[in-house]
Amino acid sequence: RLYRVAVSCVCAAPLWHSFVVPFSRRQLGIAVPAALALAGSDVSVHAETCEACCLEDWCACDHRVCNCQQILKANGFTVPQDVSALGGDWQKLDWRSAQLPRFHPVSTEDLMVCNSTLKGAGQGVIAVRDLPKGSVLPPYMGQLLSYREVGLRDFNEDMDYTWCPLKNGLAMLDMTPEELMAGPKADDMLFCVDSKEFTEKTNLGRYVNGAKSREQCELINVKMCELGRVMYFRTTKAI
């Protein structure tokens, strides 16, 4: 059996069966997880709350203030690398070796890229065997961008395949175009990911489709999750 993955624009979680998620991947991916939206920005105030959340479910925490990658590592779990340690080499991520709660990576044989049944979606990711709820799909990989490189894209069609870590992305939205292009942080790494040119079929995360209608929202079966400033998709139901 083949299962499409989908994601949606207005629903609570992204989905693709083909995999489909709740808002289009062709938008800058900045969204606060609904399970834990912590008020304020004082990390010390939320330290205990963040630790409890990360140990319970790393995907449900507010990554504006919670660094689940560091918290889980400090608690003795084997976690994937933070994006800053990759040097652009995604093979160093070694995400399938992670050993932590609610992180169940799929194998390369579980998925494939083919034509999507979503109208106008082009290609999509297909599950070729049954996947349990909580299955983690491959990370969203691509070119890592600086503040200036994001500014050059100017939120036009060049941003179609760009995703940003929540905390970094929100900070970027507070900057003017001039600050992005020529400010003191312009050459700093923002760690946004542009997957547009990373079209290899092994880069499966790129091919997860975003739901764009009420009808497609009903197909949502994966959620966007962040760990170590890397975005993963996790199934929200058995597929």
Side-chain angles (χ1 to χ4, degrees), residues 104-106 130-137 222 233-237:
H104 308 295
V106 300
D130 293 342
L131 298 178
K133 177 181 178 180
S135 298
V136 176
L137 277 61
V222 298
F233 298 103
R234 193 175 70 178
T235 59
T236 58
K237 61 180 75 173

Side-chain angles (χ1 to χ4, degrees), residues 54 58-59 61-64 66-73 79-87 90 92-93 95 98 100 103 139-140 144 163-168 189-193 225-232:
C54 292
W58 59 278
C59 184
C61 304
D62 185 346
H63 299 292
R64 295 172 299 174
C66 299
N67 188 328
C68 287
Q69 197 261 1
Q70 289 186 0
I71 290 172
L72 290 163
K73 186 175 182 179
V79 297
Q81 293 275 14
D82 182 89
V83 69
S84 62
L86 303 180
W90 288 96
K92 294 180 181 178
L93 190 60
W95 65 282
L100 55 135
F103 192 98
Y140 193 77
L144 296 174
W163 173 87
C164 291
L166 180 59
K167 185 175 181 179
N168 297 32
M189 184 57 64
L190 182 57
F191 296 113
C192 292
V193 178
C225 304
E226 184 178 326
L227 186 66
R229 292 179 290 183
V230 175
M231 193 257 279
Y232 300 86

Side-chain angles (χ1 to χ4, degrees), residues 180-199:
L180 284 173
M181 297 293 294
K185 290 188 174 181
D187 293 323
D188 291 352
M189 184 57 64
L190 182 57
F191 296 113
C192 292
V193 178
D194 182 358
S195 192
K196 187 173 184 178
E197 303 301 327
F198 278 57
T199 57

Side-chain angles (χ1 to χ4, degrees), residues 13 89-90 112 122 139 157 191 223:
D89 182 359
W90 288 96
M112 65 178 291
E157 63 275 4
F191 296 113
K223 177 181 180 180

